Amino acid sequence: MTIKTPKKGNRRHGENRWAENEVPAMTDPMTALDSFQRELPRGSLQLQRCETDKDLFVHVDQPTGTPRFTYVRLDGKTVTALAIFALVEPIERTQCFHLGYAVPERYRGQGKGKDIVAAAMKELANGFSRTPITTFYVEAVVGADNEASHKIATKLLSGMPTSIMDEVSGSPAFHYLRKVNTKAP
């Protein structure tokens, strides 16, 4: 699973290390999870409990000037699953978020990846339901060899991904896309 994020912005005084993390154009979300986990015990991240799921937390930042929503499940101060939604170029004049997700190895095989993506998408839609935004897109790019991420993306985003070549590595990948209605019952 890879995540496409905007290029790193200038470092500003007072930002925490998570926001300053050097993020290339595409990266493995496990790197983001590791970075988030390092910063969490230091108290440099502001987490908010989510409305639709009280066991889900969100950290909102703008490391490059565009919003990034990072959702986590925790066991104490340990991240057990992470989903990142980074605002990218709109599709058909509709906001689009690139999704990346990761689960630490010791928590894999327990449905935590699927759970956090589903819960985070529900929370994101809930938040936008109070705004004029009625729809948004969620996209994910998954490496062709990442079976676990394919299962999640197929179930929650699209059963009909587009075959692509990863922009950075040149490796085969699949692009998943889903339009989310924020006003759905």
Side-chain angles (χ1 to χ4, degrees), residues 20-183:
E20 295 170 1
N21 187 23
E22 292 185 28
V23 182
M26 292 190 81
T27 189
D28 180 351
M30 197 62 209
T31 303
L33 186 147
D34 291 341
S35 175
F36 198 94
Q37 182 61 69
R38 277 192 308 275
E39 292 304 312
L40 188 60
R42 294 179 181 158
S44 61
L45 301 172
Q46 293 182 336
L47 295 180
Q48 297 174 19
R49 190 176 297 271
C50 293
E51 291 179 9
T52 60
D53 183 333
K54 298 302 182 191
D55 294 325
L56 184 68
F57 297 87
V58 64
H59 173 71
V60 181
D61 63 359
Q62 296 186 23
T64 61
T66 58
R68 174 175 67 179
F69 299 84
T70 304
Y71 294 90
V72 293
R73 293 258 191 229
L74 301 171
D75 181 6
K77 290 280 187 181
T78 301
V79 177
T80 62
L82 171 139
I84 301 171
F85 294 80
L87 189 63
V88 294
E89 291 295 317
I91 297 174
E92 301 168 351
R93 297 187 320 208
T94 300
Q95 286 187 338
C96 182
F97 291 91
H98 192 89
L99 166 66
Y101 44 93
V103 175
E105 196 167 327
R106 69 180 175 180
Y107 295 102
R108 292 181 186 165
Q110 301 172 32
K112 291 186 182 294
K114 179 182 167 197
D115 170 71
I116 194 153
V117 171
M121 285 177 54
K122 181 178 179 180
E123 181 68 22
L124 194 60
N126 178 64
F128 283 126
S129 71
R130 294 184 293 273
T131 72
I133 297 170
T134 59
T135 58
F136 62 89
Y137 283 99
V138 175
E139 69 173 3
V141 175
V142 179
D145 61 347
N146 190 338
E147 283 302 315
S149 287
H150 282 291
K151 288 179 184 177
I152 294 167
T154 297
K155 198 162 256 196
L156 299 176
L157 298 180
S158 169
M160 303 283 290
T162 304
S163 179
I164 63 169
M165 295 301 280
D166 178 90
E167 296 171 355
V168 173
S169 69
S171 299
F174 291 92
H175 180 255
Y176 292 85
L177 184 66
R178 177 177 172 188
K179 192 172 192 176
V180 178
N181 183 348
T182 66
K183 307 299 183 193

